Amino acid sequence: MLGRLFLSSGDLLADRRFEFARDLQLKGDLVAAADLLDQAVELAPNFASAWFTLAEIREQLGERDAAVAAFRRAREADRDDRHGATLRLMRLGAEPLADMPKAYVQSLFDQYAPRFDEALLQNLRYRGPTLLFRAVLAVRAAERKPAFFKHAIDLGCGTGLAAAPFARSVDRFVGVDLSPGMIERARATGLYAELEVADMLEGLRKRPDASFDFALAGDAMVYVAELAPLLTEVARVLVAGGLLTFTLETHSGAGVVLGSGLRYAHAADHVRDAIASAGLVLAHLEEASPRYEDHSPVRGLVVVAAKR
Ligand SMILES: C[S@@+](CC[C@H](N)C(=O)[O-])C[C@H]1O[C@@H](n2cnc3c(N)ncnc32)[C@H](O)[C@@H]1O
């Protein structure tokens, strides 16, 4: 789905070894690639991209312990963990489930921003925005209220795809996203009165109580492990009668897991519990796939919750 992050070691020879190793890796010669990467990290011991790639290869070769050690070296070499070594360690069961490194999410979407809309809409058949819009219309119709909102906040707004169907239903949109690249694209849509580069939880914390009547998050809570703190903040900023809607990925087990696509999947019961613990009331929860991955529909949930 995405290009690879490369952080130069600052050592020309080590960088060259890395490039050759990547060629070999792509050609399937993993052992030779690992050998060159071993040389690269010997030349430049803090070469995060080389450690990360070496870790991936060790994992592909079935050398779990060596993979774990190399992912840890990648993270030590880049404390912000822009490669997301932490996620790989979670997937390997070497570390407990935790939040995603913010710098990883930011660099992922900064790289992705220029081709995000095309990739999502065409390649991944993204229909989260339509699902959210339909769910909100259904909830409002059941409440015999118009689907019209004065002040909305779009959490993880990205380029604005999820806000677009609501453009005529919202007077004033605020967008919050970790990625400056995505925010720049969102600005170009003209959909938002205000945009902020921030973590969504931090962005919410700065807002006064009861300052929004609508909150949405399209395909963004898949980057949040623990929903309850976020939903609690949403509940605080919503007025009575306000709505929150979001899509999620889901799974048949219990709780939260980190899927192979490196996004969290939340079980439906976990979502229900998080909504209740935030003091919100569930108005709609539907199994529906927001998008495809590897040519198959991803299992998803479309949720609407209300503040009473
Ligand atoms: C898959 S995109 C979806 C964008 C948009 N909501 C849509 O429906 O097209 C996920 C977005 O969530 C943002 N994001 C992920 N975690 C975030 C966080 N903790 N705080 C703010 N934004 C976040 C990413 O930067 C990215 O732009």
Side-chain angles (χ1 to χ4, degrees), residues 131-132 135-136 139 214-217 221 227 231 243-248 268 271-272 275 281-287 300-306:
L131 292 171
L132 292 174
V136 169
V139 167
F214 184 47
L216 80 154
M221 294 206 188
L227 295 179
L231 298 190
L243 291 187
L244 161 69
T245 189
F246 54 97
T247 55
L248 283 170
V271 180
R272 287 191 186 94
I275 286 173
V281 176
L282 186 64
H284 180 101
L285 187 144
E286 170 198 355
E287 268 233 23
L301 297 174
V302 184
V303 182
V304 184

Side-chain angles (χ1 to χ4, degrees), residues 10 41 52 111 159 186 189 249 286:
V41 294
F52 186 80
Q111 286 182 83
T159 59
T189 65
E249 293 183 15
E286 170 198 355

Side-chain angles (χ1 to χ4, degrees), residues 217-228:
D219 206 24
M221 294 206 188
V222 295
Y223 298 96
V224 176
E226 195 50 62
L227 295 179

Side-chain angles (χ1 to χ4, degrees), residues 70-134:
F71 279 129
R72 290 201 166 122
R73 290 297 301 260
R75 190 173 52 188
E76 279 161 28
D78 175 31
R79 290 278 173 197
D80 291 336
D81 195 12
R82 283 168 283 181
H83 291 93
T86 304
L87 299 178
R88 305 306 188 92
L89 288 162
M90 291 185 223
R91 285 278 307 162
L92 283 165
E95 295 194 356
L97 204 74
D99 282 339
M100 286 207 188
K102 303 279 177 264
Y104 161 76
V105 175
Q106 197 174 64
S107 102
L108 181 76
F109 283 98
D110 277 350
Q111 286 182 83
Y112 205 3
R115 58 207 163 85
F116 180 81
D117 288 9
E118 192 193 335
L120 264 272
L121 297 175
Q122 285 168 28
N123 308 345
L124 304 179
R125 304 197 219 171
Y126 182 44
R127 61 187 197 109
T130 311
L131 292 171
L132 292 174
F133 189 59
R134 278 195 210 145

Side-chain angles (χ1 to χ4, degrees), residues 28-53:
D29 193 347
L30 300 183
V31 173
D35 187 45
L36 274 176
L37 289 167
D38 276 332
Q39 293 174 32
V41 294
E42 207 177 312
L43 286 165
N46 282 323
F47 193 174
S49 293
W51 279 116
F52 186 80
T53 306

